Amino acid sequence: MAKLWGGRFTKDTNKLVDEFTASISFDQKLAFEDIQGSLAHVQMLGECDIITTDEAETIQAGLEKILEKLKNGEVEFLVEHEDIHMNLENLLIEEIGPVAGKLHTGRSRNDQVATDMHLYLRNKTKTIIELIEKAQGAIIGQAKDNIETILPGYTHLQRAQPVSFAHHILAYFWMLERDKERLEDSLKRINILPLGAGALAGTTFPIDRTRVAELLEFDSVYPNSMDAVSDRDFILEFLSTASILMVHLSRLSEELVIWSSQEFQFIELDDSFCTGSSIMPQKKNPDVPELLRGKTGRVFGDLVGLLTVLKGLPLAYNKDLQEDKEGMFDTVDTLEGSLTLLAPMLETMTVNHKKMRSAVTHDYSNATDIADYLATKGLPFRQAHEVIGKIVLHAIENGKYLLDLEMEEYKKFSTLFEEDVYDYLEPEHVVGARKSEGGTAPDQIKQQLELAEGKL
Ligand code: ARG
């Protein structure tokens, strides 16, 4: 089939080359953005008298027609037409005849495709921000119900100090908040218009880029045409933000997997968010958080893939840049899928207060508090730490926890101990005493919740 750029060629393209270089199988995702960009471009061409108003209107009507057909699924894309831009231009020719050829005046596929990508990512970034907020809402819901729920807090995955479950889960709220901020900030750089850069050097036609920016609601235009057509930083930025976001989802997922194990039983995921085993009838597997954790790999891969594509590319456009798309689409789909599941999974999860509470009473995670107790009574903290270390060892050797030790046992280690030490050891006291700003005491959590709700 004759190519729209076929003038200087004496042979048809090898079919293998057609197949190898075509991007239509994936860049058809940009069809709406491509038409949106073309509509603005052609309006500007008309307004600047580069083509006649009649021609502009005919082309716009043709594009609207194609849009309609696209929505009705009546459009067929062909590999011979290489990519979404050529496919749509061919469809436009079928629709309105040779005048369609005027659409590409003062434009190149290089600034066109970059514009499509900016439009696409602008939309998707906004969608993803909304989905993050839904997940944050679910976290807040669980936090509100669990201010008084106490579980061991861990360091090195060893029980460290008791914390409120609300406090623990809210840590993820703030991770997601930073992800959201990064995405919001990236919109500044996404929202710059490449169109009007031409192939690389600008155009001889008296175009009005600012008008196109206005029509497409961009904040500004790229000041350098060569940068405009070869910049993919905005996609890299999206992929790196997405990678960090996936790290957060993966860490949370890992906790959900651990917590729902027989060994922990801190939470139970709803049946509707788990799957069974084809051989072991008793199994209820946390497939959803596992898959969330697993999908992190492909997002990292998409980032590293594009970094590698861009590294060492000379200015300006190179066909390598066509490789910017599949990874980006894949990451968008992965984030949308992952975040959409996260909110209802968290909302329907059951928190096992009893198991968490009992874990806290069967450990030594209150040891810091009696060290603090002795320090308050005047013993230097370093010495207090030493004394309590010995007490913990004594308790372990005698198969007891700190609350089980008799007063005379305590007195053997330090005469500063009095009856009130038992109050200090209660998990509620331990948690409640951490009133420092950002600490796990209930009052602090309430303030934190207020702050968090203010962000939504
Ligand atoms: N399909 C191409 C891409 O995605 C569009 C730009 C083609 N430009 C060119 N000079 N061949 O990068």
Side-chain angles (χ1 to χ4, degrees), residues 21 23 26-27 82-85 108-110 113 232 317-319 321-325:
T21 58
S23 52
F26 48 88
D27 69 10
E82 196 179 331
D83 58 23
I84 186 63
H85 326 292
S108 148
R109 271 189 294 163
N110 299 349
V113 70
R232 297 294 184 271
Y317 179 84
N318 299 272
K319 186 74 169 180
L321 289 175
Q322 182 168 288
E323 286 292 307
D324 63 354
K325 290 177 194 61

Side-chain angles (χ1 to χ4, degrees), residues 152-162 264 363-365:
Y154 295 81
T155 62
H156 312 270
L157 204 57
Q158 304 287 323
R159 291 183 188 174
Q161 291 171 353
F264 276 76
D363 67 13
Y364 300 91
S365 64

Side-chain angles (χ1 to χ4, degrees), residues 12 37 91 109 134 138 157 166 178-179 235 276 319 335 377:
D12 284 344
L91 286 168
R109 271 189 294 163
K134 285 206 179 117
L157 204 57
R178 291 192 292 275
D179 295 325
I235 306 176
K319 186 74 169 180
L335 290 191
K377 300 219 168 193

